[in-house]
Amino acid sequence: MDPGAKSNLKIAEKRGQARALPNGTILFMSATVSTDSAVAKLRQRAYQINAVSMAIGLMDWDQQCYMPPGGADARAEHIGILSQMKFDLETADETGRLIENAEREAAPNSEDAAMVRVMKRSYNLATKLPPTLTAEKNRLGALAHEEWVKARKNNDFATFAPWLEKMFDLTRQEAECYGYTNHIYDALIDLYEEGATEADCRRMYDTLKASNVDLIKAIGESPIKPDDSKLYGTWDESKQRAFTEMIVKEIGFDMTNGRQDTAPHPFCANFSTTDVRLTTRFKDYIGSAIFGSLHEAGHGMYEQGSPKKWDRSPLAGGVSLGIHESQSRTWENIVGRSKAFWSRFLPRLQEHFPSLSDFDLNTWYSAINKVQPSFIRVEADEVTYNMHTLVRFEIECDVLSGKMSIKDIPGAWNAKYKEYLGVTPETDSVGCLQDVHWSAGLIGYFPTYSMGNCLSYQFWNCLTRDLGDVDAMMAAGNFAPILNWLRENIYQHGCRYQPKELVQIVSGKPIGAEDYLEGLKAKYSEIYAL
Amino acid sequence: MDPGAKSNLKIAEKRGQARALPNGTILFMSATVSTDSAVAKLRQRAYQINAVSMAIGLMDWDQQCYMPPGGADARAEHIGILSQMKFDLETADETGRLIENAEREAAPNSEDAAMVRVMKRSYNLATKLPPTLTAEKNRLGALAHEEWVKARKNNDFATFAPWLEKMFDLTRQEAECYGYTNHIYDALIDLYEEGATEADCRRMYDTLKASNVDLIKAIGESPIKPDDSKLYGTWDESKQRAFTEMIVKEIGFDMTNGRQDTAPHPFCANFSTTDVRLTTRFKDYIGSAIFGSLHEAGHGMYEQGSPKKWDRSPLAGGVSLGIHESQSRTWENIVGRSKAFWSRFLPRLQEHFPSLSDFDLNTWYSAINKVQPSFIRVEADEVTYNMHTLVRFEIECDVLSGKMSIKDIPGAWNAKYKEYLGVTPETDSVGCLQDVHWSAGLIGYFPTYSMGNCLSYQFWNCLTRDLGDVDAMMAAGNFAPILNWLRENIYQHGCRYQPKELVQIVSGKPIGAEDYLEGLKAKYSEIYAL
C-alpha cells in the first residue's frame, strides 16, 4: 500500500501538471492543440463540452448505483455547477464563431459537415431561450416538483393545478422562442426527436389507435388467459444477476467495454463507446430484471456500436430518443419476448430457478406476453403501451393549443383511459398525477416511446428480409448476425444523419405504425387464438 | 421501468434547465448568486473549482473501482480536459481579482480570512510557474514514465539516468520559480506540507535516525522472532470484506456518509464531508486488507469530521499530507496494531477465519508487529518505514543542491539502505528504481510520510492525557471518545490553520520525533524483550 500517492494527487492537480492516480499511474494533460483548421478547433470545443457532460453523467450513474445517502446534497450542487459550465460552453459567443468558421470550411455532405450541423443545432436551441425564462422555469420546476410529490401522495390534483398551469404557460413561451411553422407541439417534440412534428405523431397515433384499441378489446374477450402468477415471488438476487449478465453477454453486449450494476430504476449510461453501463433491478416479478436488462442492453449495444473514430464527438452514439428506443425495444420485445429466444434460455432459467420448472415453452411464452390493460404506463405490456403515451400526447397538444384547460385534465385523462384501454384510474394519483415529467416542464416527448415501438418492427422486417431465418439463429444462440446487421445498418451512422433520414436509409420509407401493428397482430393472434 | 427518463436527461441538460435523473428525480441548477459580498463571490469561484475537482476525483475513483477496461482512453482524455479547466479557473485573472477584493473585505482572523488565505496560496502557486515550464514537465513526465517502466523492468538505471537528470533540472527550475529563503528543498516540500522546510525535515530525521537505526539493530539481534507465516494464505474475499467493514464501522467510520469498495491499490477519496469512499484490497497477507482498511478509514474519518459548514469550500477536509497521514497511521498502527484492539477483535477474526485459531492474543500481537528490514518502502513495518523515506529525502536534497550527481544515486541508495536498515537491494529495480514518483517529477514530499508517523504519536499522547485509560476503551469497543477527541481537537479545524499552527494548537509544541520514538521503544521493547 502506498498511502501517500493518493493525497499527492491533490497537489499534482493543484500544480496543474500531472495527475497521479492512487495506483501510481500518472496521467498527463492533453497537449494544447495548435492547428489552423476551424473544424479541428470546433472539435476541441466539442470535446470540452463532452468532458463536462460525461462528468455529469458519471455523477448521475454513481448516484444511482453506489453513492452513500449522505452524498446527495453535495452531488446536487456539483451537478448544478457543472451543468451551468456546460451550458456556458455551449452558448458562448466563441462557440458560435467556431461553428461559423467550421461551417465555411467543412466540405458539403462530409462527416465534418455533419458534426458542424449537430453542434449548430445544439447551439441554436441553447441560445434561443432568454436566460430569464430558463431561470424562471428552473425555479418553478423545483417548487412544482415538491407540489407534485405532495399532490400525488394526497390524490389532490386541485392544489397542483396552478403549478401545472404555470408550467404549461412557460413551456408555451419556450416553444414560441424556439419557433415552429404549423403546430406549437412541433417546437417541443423536435427537442427530443429532431424533425418530428405534431402531424407525424398524429398520423402514427391515428393508425395505432384504429387497430390497437380493437386488438386490446379482442384480447380481453379471448377465453385464453395466460397465467403469469408464478413469475411473482422471491428470487435470489445473485442468481438473477448471473442470469441477466449471461443473456446480455450472449446477445452481444460487450463486458470489456461495459458493465451491469443494480439501480432502483434501470437505465443505460455511457461515457464513451467503449464504456457503457447498464443497470437493472430485482423485484418480485422475475421479468423485471430479465426484460429490464435486455432493454438496457439494447440501448447499450447501440452506443457500443458507434464508430470509435467519433468517440467523444457530437457524432457519437444514438441519434434520437425514438431511434434509441427502437433498439431497446428490439432486444426487449422482439428478441427477448420471442419463442425462439426462450427455446434457448428457458432451460437455463429453470436451472437457476427450479420453481419455474412447471412452464413449458408455450406456457412460458404466453405468460411473459400476457396483455393486461392497467393505469400505469411504466408497467404496461407491449400491446397496451402506446395507448398510455397517446393519452399524454393528446392532452399535451390540447392544453398547449388552448383547447383544454388544466382543470379538465383529470376528466379527459380518465375518459381516454376508458376509451383506449377499457379501464378507469381509481384516483388521480394513479391517473394524471402518475408521471414526474409535467412538473418539470418535460412536455413533448412521450410520442418518442411509441416511435421506438413502431421503428423496432419496421427495422426488424428489413433485418429478417436480409438475414432469413432469424428464429433459427436465436434458438441456436447465434445473435451475431442480428447485432452485426444493426451495427452496419444503424449504429455505424452514429448521429451523422437526422433521424428521419436514417429511418429512410435503413428501411426505405418514413416511420409508420404498419409493420408494428402487423407484427403485434401475428404474435398475439397466436397467443390469444384470435 | 421508465425507459425514456434516462434519454430525456440528455435533452434536459441541452436545454440547460433541469436535470432529470433516471429515477425521475429532477435536479435544478444552482440559482445564480447575486450578492455584493466579495467573499461570497470568491466562495462561488471556489465552489466551481471544487465541482470540477470532485468530477476528476470521481473519475479517478470509478477508474480504480468499477470502470470497464475499455473506458481507459476516454477517461484519460476526460480527466485531461477537466484538469485543464480546473487549472484555468484557478489561475484566471478574475480569480486573482476576486481574491484581492475578498482579502480587503474579510475580517482579520475570521473564517473568511482563512478561506481567502488558502485560495491565495493556491493561486500564487499555480500562477508562479510559466506555462512553458509546466508544458515541458508534462511532456517529459509522459516520456520519463515510460522510460522508468522499462528501466525498472530491465534493471537498467543507466538508460533512465538522463531522463531523471532532466526531471531534476526542471524541478530545480520550478523551485526557483516558487522561490525560497534557505534551501531549494523548502520550495518543494511546501507544496505538500505548507510551511515545512528542509531544516524541519532534517531535524526530524536526525532525531529519528539516531534512535531508529539502533532500535532496528537491537530488534534484529533479539532472540525473539515473531512468526507471522500463518498470516499468509488464501482468504475468502467476502469474509475479508465483511470483517474489514465491521471494524471500520466499529471504530467510527460512518457508512451513511461513506462506503468501502475494492481497488488494486487502497486509497481514500472524498466528494464531500458526507461522501467519503474507502477502498481496500485482498491479498495473500491477511493484514493487507485489515490494516489497509484501518489506514484508509483514518483518512476517511478525518474528512468526515470536517465541519459541514465548510463543505465544498477550501476550508473543508484535511489540511496537509503530513497531518492526514498522522490520522491514517493512528488508526492503522496505534489503534489497529495494539493489544487492546485485538483483545476485542481477535476472537471475531478467528470466527471468520478458523485457521487463525492457533494464535493467542500475545502471539497474534507479535505477529502483526513483526519488524523486518526490507528493500521495499510500501511493504515496510512501523519501525523501519521512516528509514525508507529518509533515504529518498537525503538523496533528493543532495541532487537538488548539486552535491550528488544522478549517476551516483544507485551507489548512495544502496549504501544508505545498508547503513540504516542493514540490507542491500539486490538490484536497482528493487532499489532506486522502485518508486514511480521521480519519473513524474514528484520530488519533495516523501518526508510527509514520516511527519505523519511522528505526529500520530505526538497527538496520541495528548489524547491519552485527556482521556485516561484508552486501552480499556478500545478493549470494550468504545471508540467514540477517541474519535470525538480527534474531531474536536483536529478535524473540526479543517484547513483553517496552517499545518504548523495546527500542530501547535493540538499538542502545544512543534512537530518532533520524540513522542514517536518513545512510543516505538516502549512497544517494541516489550515485543522483542529488549
Side-chain angles (χ1 to χ4, degrees), chain A residues 25-28, chain B residues 138-154 156 159-160 163 167 436 439-440:
Chain A
T25 307
I26 310 293
L27 287 173
F28 296 90
Chain B
N138 285 351
R139 265 194 304 278
L140 179 69
L143 299 169
H145 181 262
E146 297 304 309
E147 294 296 324
W148 166 74
V149 170
K150 274 191 276 177
R152 188 174 62 161
K153 192 176 164 217
N154 302 329
D156 179 8
T159 63
F160 181 56
W163 298 92
M167 191 51 89
V436 67
S439 73

Side-chain angles (χ1 to χ4, degrees), chain A residues 1 3-4 7 13 15 17 19 21 50 60 62 70 78 86 138 174 192 256 274 277 281 295 321 449, chain B residues 1 3-4 7 15 17 19 21 50 60 62 70 78 86 138 174 192 256 274 277 281 295 321 449:
Chain A
M1 173 176 38
S7 322
E13 249 186 74
R15 298 164 76 187
Q17 296 166 336
R19 301 267 316 122
L21 296 184
N50 167 267
D60 278 352
D62 177 73
H78 288 147
K86 178 164 176 273
N138 286 350
E174 272 188 357
Y192 310 105
T256 303
T274 48
R277 316 278 178 103
R281 65 178 167 187
H295 181 100
L321 296 198
Y449 292 125
Chain B
M1 172 178 38
S7 322
R15 298 164 77 188
Q17 296 167 335
R19 301 269 316 123
L21 295 185
N50 167 268
D60 278 350
D62 177 72
H78 289 146
K86 179 164 175 274
N138 285 351
E174 271 188 356
Y192 310 105
T256 303
T274 48
R277 316 278 177 104
R281 64 177 167 186
H295 180 100
L321 297 197
Y449 292 125

Side-chain angles (χ1 to χ4, degrees), chain A residues 367-524:
Chain A
I368 60 172
N369 284 295
K370 184 181 175 182
V371 175
Q372 181 68 62
S374 78
F375 318 133
I376 305 297
R377 177 180 59 84
V378 298
E379 294 165 4
D381 57 76
E382 195 183 9
V383 175
T384 59
Y385 192 93
N386 297 309
M387 298 300 99
H388 290 269
T389 62
L390 169 59
V391 170
R392 288 151 179 80
F393 167 69
E394 289 183 339
I395 290 175
E396 286 181 358
C397 284
D398 285 352
V399 172
L400 285 167
S401 63
K403 283 190 200 155
M404 186 187 293
S405 64
I406 296 289
K407 69 172 171 32
D408 293 331
I409 288 178
W413 182 285
N414 292 354
K416 286 175 194 292
Y417 263 78
K418 182 74 193 160
E419 182 185 349
Y420 305 152
L421 288 155
V423 295
T424 307
E426 289 146 11
T427 63
D428 291 337
S429 297
V430 296
C432 62
L433 288 171
Q434 72 181 264
D435 293 313
V436 67
H437 312 79
W438 287 348
S439 72
L442 301 173
I443 294 164
Y445 80 90
F446 280 113
T448 63
Y449 292 125
S450 292
M451 289 178 186
N453 288 332
C454 291
L455 286 173
S456 68
Y457 278 88
Q458 186 164 327
F459 294 158
W460 188 257
N461 283 349
C462 304
L463 180 150
T464 51
R465 265 197 297 277
D466 287 352
L467 295 184
D469 192 351
V470 176
D471 277 351
M473 293 173 189
M474 292 198 283
N478 182 22
F479 296 98
I482 300 170
L483 181 56
N484 286 339
W485 190 95
L486 295 169
R487 292 181 85 124
E488 278 165 30
N489 287 277
I490 303 174
Y491 308 167
Q492 69 138 321
H493 297 304
C495 298
R496 176 158 186 185
Y497 303 107
Q498 295 184 45
K500 283 182 166 181
E501 291 178 288
L502 184 63
V503 171
Q504 193 72 38
I505 290 169
V506 178
S507 64
K509 61 182 182 186
I511 181 173
E514 292 74 14
D515 293 277
Y516 171 73
L517 288 168
E518 266 173 40
L520 281 200
K521 254 184 211 159
K523 178 175 181 177
Y524 289 91

